[in-house]
Amino acid sequence: MHPPISFRRPISFQDLIPEDYLVLRDLVRFGVLAEDQINRRYGDSIVTMPQLFSATSYGARAAQCGLRATKPSMQDLRHDIAVVDLADYLLEHEPEAEWRTEREASRVIRGTVRRTRRRGFENGPGHQPDGLLLKSGNVLAVELEHSVKSEQRYADICRWFASTPRVDGVRWYVDDPKIADRVARVNRQHGFDRDVDVTIEPFPPGVALRPWRRP
C-alpha cells in the first residue's frame, strides 16, 4: 500500500470531486480496493501496477458514510478484492439494484436475528454475508465462496439465512463444483430452500481470486 500523502492542511468534503467522493466512500465501505477498481470508478479502465489501498481514519470521516476506517485482513485480502469485483459486475448488469457491503449489512438486517420464520426453527449464531443486493424491494444475501467448508458450517450459515426474515433470497457464487454440491445438499437435506430462495452460480466473468504475494 502507498504511504500516506501529506497536505498543508487536512482535506475536507469540499475538496472532493464526485469521483473522489465515490472512491473514498467505497474504500471505507469495502475496506480495501485494488488500483484497477479505483480506476474503474474514475471511468478509466487502464490497469497499472497491482497496488491496494485502504482509507485512513481521517478519510473515513471525510467519506461521511457512518463507518470507521478498518485495517484490511491480509488473510482475507484476495477474497475481499474479489467481492468488490463481484459487486461491480452485479451493479453493471443489474443497474436498478443497490449494493450493501459486509460492513453495512447489519444496518439492513438489524433487529431480525431473534425472530424466526417458523415455529421451532431456532436462529443460530449470527452471520455476516459478503454483501447484500437490494432489488425490487427484496434483500438478497450474496456469498462469494472459494474455500470448501464443512457441511456443519454450511448448515449453520444456511440456517441463519433461512431463519432471518429480512433476507428474501441468497445467491451463492462459487468457483468449485464441490462447494456448489455441498451447499445445495445442505439446503435440500435441511429444507432451508423452502424458507428462502437459494441460487448457486459460478463466478461471473472477470471475477476471480487474484494471485497475491504478501510484501
Side-chain angles (χ1 to χ4, degrees):
M1 296 184 186
H2 280 312
I5 301 173
S6 298
F7 296 90
R8 293 183 178 180
R9 65 174 177 81
I11 62 171
S12 67
F13 176 74
Q14 287 72 26
D15 297 312
L16 305 178
I17 62 174
E19 290 83 0
D20 294 333
Y21 184 57
L22 171 62
V23 169
L24 186 57
R25 281 181 62 89
D26 279 358
L27 276 172
V28 178
R29 294 173 63 231
F30 287 101
V32 64
L33 293 176
E35 184 158 351
D36 63 297
Q37 295 169 337
I38 292 177
N39 291 342
R40 191 183 301 154
R41 284 157 173 76
Y42 279 111
D44 183 357
S45 60
I46 298 176
V47 179
T48 56
M49 296 179 63
Q51 302 178 68
L52 303 177
F53 297 82
S54 61
T56 63
S57 297
Y58 186 83
R61 292 195 296 273
Q64 299 181 350
C65 58
L67 294 171
R68 296 182 179 180
T70 183
K71 184 177 180 180
S73 166
M74 297 302 295
Q75 179 179 353
D76 300 326
L77 199 56
R78 297 174 65 217
H79 172 271
D80 294 345
I81 290 295
V83 169
V84 180
D85 284 332
L86 176 61
D88 290 351
Y89 176 91
L90 293 177
L91 292 178
E92 179 183 357
H93 290 81
E94 303 178 53
E96 74 281 7
E98 297 180 22
W99 181 269
R100 297 293 182 268
T101 67
E102 178 179 353
R103 302 191 69 205
E104 299 169 307
S106 61
R107 296 179 179 179
V108 179
I109 58 182
R110 184 180 296 144
T112 67
V113 174
R114 294 187 178 181
R115 301 207 310 269
T116 59
R117 278 194 171 88
R118 54 181 180 175
R119 186 177 302 175
F121 194 73
E122 296 182 359
N123 196 305
H127 176 70
Q128 287 287 94
D130 290 327
L132 298 176
L133 197 66
L134 311 185
K135 183 177 179 180
S136 302
N138 291 325
V139 176
L140 305 177
V142 176
E143 292 284 350
L144 183 144
E145 198 72 2
H146 171 75
S147 300
V148 180
K149 296 180 176 65
S150 68
E151 289 202 11
Q152 182 57 55
R153 180 60 183 143
Y154 283 126
D156 291 339
I157 294 172
C158 294
R159 178 178 295 107
W160 188 87
F161 286 135
S163 58
T164 302
R166 193 70 181 92
V167 174
D168 300 298
V170 187
R171 289 189 190 177
W172 291 84
Y173 290 92
V174 303
D175 64 349
D176 185 337
K178 293 180 180 178
I179 297 176
D181 290 344
R182 184 164 293 185
V183 172
R185 183 167 60 251
V186 164
N187 276 283
R188 182 174 61 252
Q189 289 178 346
H190 295 272
F192 299 143
D193 51 4
R194 294 197 297 268
D195 294 281
V196 62
D197 182 60
V198 178
T199 60
I200 304 171
E201 304 178 22
F203 282 14
V207 177
L209 267 72
R210 308 182 185 194
W212 173 257
R213 289 190 304 173
R214 187 167 185 160

